[in-house]
Amino acid sequence: MSHYIDIAHASLNKYGEELCGDSVQIIRKKDYLMAVMADGLGSGVKANILSTLTTRIVSKMLDMGSELSDVVDTVAHTLPICKERNIAYSTFTVVSINADNVHVVEYDNPSIFYFKNGVYKKIDRKCVEIGDKKIYESSFKLDLNDALIIVSDGVIHAGVGGILNLGWQWENVQQYLEKTLEVYNDASDICYQLITTCNNLYKNKPGDDTTAIVIKVNESKKVTVMVGPPILTKA
């Protein structure tokens, strides 16, 4: 292949919490990649359990070829009920890449960001109602230098009530990412810049669990590795 899929993810725990309420699951095979991010209700241990169960169930079932309706139904009937709010709730976003074909499934998370050669491009999404849930699906082709960024609402809300009254807002994050993509090429660098900026907006005290996954199509690089037998040296 003339290109490869570069991926990186990072999270911030809500201030005062030891566990992150967002979870990420990555499945990578030859010519295939699946990234799942879930945001559990609330924060801390309960949210972590909800989001972890969601990412494991969704990634495993979709990887085995299950129908989306069956996946959503399984998640709804598996998550433990929160005693305080009497609901079991976790949002999720799934990006599946098979060769250069992309399939995106989104439920109640901020819409993903799609950039073609560093410029934002709107994705045509189809709404599918499964039970009482509205699921958005989209499919398209990935090309060299394309980028997909998945974020939890902690990114969109960064700075809310502090530096920014209404938070960072989706459109502002889009503009920031366009400028970042002009400077950085590797997924890990882009992800680090995004999460660091969120932390700065929160003044190092995140008001919500904050997660980002960056998927970038980069040109393949050849690496030459030279090895030989070990040399024994006298102490």
Side-chain angles (χ1 to χ4, degrees):
M1 293 180 63
S2 60
H3 61 269
Y4 72 101
I5 307 297
D6 189 15
I7 185 168
H9 63 90
S11 297
L12 297 172
N13 296 1
K14 181 179 179 180
Y15 182 69
E17 297 288 356
E18 293 184 7
L19 294 175
C20 185
D22 302 337
S23 293
V24 173
Q25 180 76 5
I26 307 293
I27 295 178
R28 188 158 201 162
K29 302 177 182 179
K30 184 179 180 181
D31 296 334
Y32 175 75
L33 173 72
M34 180 189 292
V36 183
M37 186 199 70
D39 182 352
L41 177 69
S43 59
V45 176
K46 292 180 181 179
N48 180 266
I49 292 172
L50 292 170
S51 63
T52 300
L53 280 172
T54 301
T55 55
R56 298 300 188 272
I57 292 170
V58 171
S59 61
K60 189 66 175 178
M61 291 187 68
L62 288 179
D63 188 46
M64 294 175 64
S66 299
E67 295 292 330
L68 180 59
S69 58
D70 294 332
V71 175
V72 174
D73 184 68
T74 301
V75 170
H77 289 86
T78 302
L79 298 185
I81 302 295
C82 175
K83 294 181 180 179
E84 296 176 1
R85 308 187 192 186
N86 200 33
I87 56 175
Y89 180 80
S90 177
T91 66
F92 61 83
T93 300
V94 184
V95 173
S96 302
I97 303 174
N98 193 345
D100 59 351
N101 298 305
V102 183
H103 183 225
V104 180
V105 178
E106 301 172 275
Y107 171 58
D108 263 14
N109 272 332
S111 300
I112 67 168
F113 298 90
Y114 174 41
F115 298 92
K116 180 167 287 293
N117 288 317
V119 179
Y120 171 73
K121 182 176 181 180
K122 186 177 180 180
I123 299 173
D124 293 327
R125 304 194 302 166
K126 177 181 67 175
C127 181
V128 180
E129 292 194 14
I130 302 176
D132 60 345
K133 296 176 174 59
K134 289 186 177 181
I135 311 293
Y136 290 91
E137 289 188 273
S138 53
S139 297
F140 50 94
K141 296 278 189 180
L142 265 189
D143 297 313
L144 183 64
N145 295 323
D146 284 2
L148 287 168
I149 292 92
I150 308 167
V151 301
S152 65
D153 56 9
V155 172
I156 307 301
H157 296 158
V160 65
I163 294 178
L164 304 171
N165 288 333
L166 300 176
W168 203 0
Q169 300 293 302
W170 195 93
E171 292 77 11
N172 296 326
V173 178
Q174 172 205 317
Q175 294 168 6
Y176 171 84
L177 288 170
E178 284 186 334
K179 293 179 181 179
T180 303
L181 286 164
E182 292 177 358
V183 181
Y184 299 96
N185 189 55
D186 293 339
S188 58
D189 292 334
I190 300 166
C191 192
Y192 173 80
Q193 294 298 323
L194 177 57
I195 288 295
T196 300
T197 300
C198 288
N199 197 34
N200 291 337
L201 289 173
Y202 279 124
K203 296 183 178 180
N204 299 316
K205 293 182 179 180
D208 193 4
D209 298 303
T210 305
T211 297
I213 303 175
V214 177
I215 301 171
K216 182 79 164 50
V217 184
N218 287 333
E219 189 174 358
S220 296
K221 299 177 182 178
K222 292 183 179 180
V223 177
T224 301
V225 179
M226 188 167 62
V227 298
I231 299 175
L232 294 176
T233 59
K234 294 182 179 180

